[in-house]
Amino acid sequence: RKEVEQDPGPFNVPEGATVAFNCTYSNSASQSFFWYRQDCRKEPKLLMSVYSSGNEDGRFTAQLNRASQYISLLIRDSKLSDSATYLCVVNSGNTGKLIFGQGTTLQVKP
Amino acid sequence: GAVVSQHPSWVICKSGTSVKIECRSLDFQATTMFWYRQFPKQSLMLMATSNEGSKATYEQGVEKDKFLINHASLTLSTLTVTSAHPEDSSFYICSARDEVHYGYTFGSGTRLTVV
C-alpha cells in the first residue's frame, strides 16, 4: 500500500465549478500535511498547509481528519489557471521527509 | 522568502558518463536537503536525505554507489549520477528544509536525458 494515496483523475471541470480532491495516508505518526501544486515540467510549489481545524485561503479550503487519516482540498469557483496537478504531501513522522502522493490532475475548461 | 537554486536545469549526456547536479540554499542554511526523482506521469519519489557533514540516508532501492550525494556545507548539496544509463533519464528535484522558519523549498529541478 502506498504511504499517500490520491485519485489521479483527471478531473475535467468547467470554469466556476467547485471541485474536491481527497487523499489518505497510512502513517499514523505523520505530523504535518500539505497540498502542493505542480505545473507541467515544473517543480512543486506549496499551495497550503493543512491544519487539524481546517483552514481556508481564498477559494481553497483544506481539511484534515486524523482519525480517518484523510485529507481534502476544495477549490471553489475554478479558474482556468487552476489547471495543474495537486499533490497531497505528508511529513513522515519525525524524520522530516516529505512523502508525496501520486497527484490529482485538474483541467479547468472554458 | 527562502530560495533554492538548482543547476543545471537540463542536461543531455551520453550513456556511461557522470552528471553532477547542484542544489544551493541562497538565503538560509540547510542542514538537511532531500533529493527526489520524478518519472513522467508519476509523483516525486524520495531518493535520499542529504545531511550536512555526514553520509546521506538512501531510500530503499536507491543505489548509493550510483547516486553519490555530497553535502559539504550548510548551503550546498550535490547529486552525482554515475555511469548514467537511459533508464536514469528523469526529472531530479532537490528540496531544502529551512530549520528556522520550518519550511521546505524546492529547487526548479533538473531534467536529465541520457542518450
Side-chain angles (χ1 to χ4, degrees):
Chain A
R1 182 187 171 190
K2 293 179 184 176
E3 197 163 342
V4 180
E5 295 209 55
Q6 292 180 254
D7 177 353
F11 284 57
N12 295 302
V13 303
E15 267 187 295
T18 295
V19 62
F21 304 140
N22 303 318
C23 167
T24 58
Y25 61 96
S26 61
N27 186 350
S28 59
S30 300
Q31 298 175 344
S32 307
F33 311 88
F34 312 91
W35 283 101
Y36 276 75
R37 170 193 169 129
Q38 186 175 27
D39 292 287
C40 188
R41 303 174 77 85
K42 299 280 190 182
E43 77 277 20
K45 293 188 187 295
L46 179 65
L47 180 65
M48 59 197 303
S49 300
V50 187
Y51 303 115
S52 297
S53 55
N55 48 300
E56 188 175 306
D57 183 1
R59 297 181 293 109
F60 300 86
T61 301
Q63 298 214 314
L64 167 66
N65 184 322
R66 283 187 186 271
S68 303
Q69 295 179 199
Y70 170 93
I71 306 163
S72 66
L73 176 68
L74 183 77
I75 305 176
R76 290 182 298 277
D77 188 23
S78 299
K79 311 288 185 194
L80 294 176
S81 57
D82 294 334
S83 298
T85 297
Y86 291 83
L87 302 165
C88 177
V89 184
V90 173
N91 181 314
S92 179
N94 59 1
T95 64
K97 297 190 291 189
L98 294 183
I99 306 300
F100 285 76
Q102 181 182 359
T104 299
T105 300
L106 171 66
Q107 186 70 41
V108 181
K109 298 189 181 299
Chain B
V3 177
V4 171
S5 173
Q6 186 172 343
H7 179 81
S9 55
W10 61 270
V11 58
I12 301 173
C13 71
K14 289 186 178 180
S15 202
T17 61
S18 295
V19 173
K20 180 187 282 189
I21 303 170
E22 292 188 349
C23 181
R24 292 180 187 274
S25 56
L26 297 187
D27 48 4
F28 66 98
Q29 294 183 331
T31 56
T32 306
M33 292 187 177
F34 304 91
W35 287 96
Y36 294 84
R37 179 169 54 182
Q38 185 176 34
F39 291 108
K41 298 191 185 301
Q42 294 186 26
S43 191
L44 281 73
M45 295 300 295
L46 181 66
M47 299 175 67
T49 302
S50 172
N51 305 297
E52 186 268 335
S54 64
K55 291 183 180 179
T57 305
Y58 290 81
E59 295 299 303
Q60 191 173 11
V62 178
E63 301 173 58
K64 66 177 190 292
D65 295 329
K66 180 170 180 63
F67 298 100
L68 301 179
I69 291 173
N70 184 285
H71 194 157
S73 79
L74 286 171
T75 58
L76 174 64
S77 175
T78 61
L79 168 69
T80 301
V81 183
T82 62
S83 186
H85 290 283
E87 57 266 29
D88 298 322
S89 299
S90 187
F91 190 47
Y92 292 85
I93 309 175
C94 70
S95 172
R97 184 164 68 168
D98 182 346
E99 307 285 353
V100 173
H101 300 102
Y102 190 65
Y104 295 83
T105 302
F106 285 82
S108 55
T110 298
R111 194 159 299 279
L112 170 64
T113 302
V114 184
V115 296

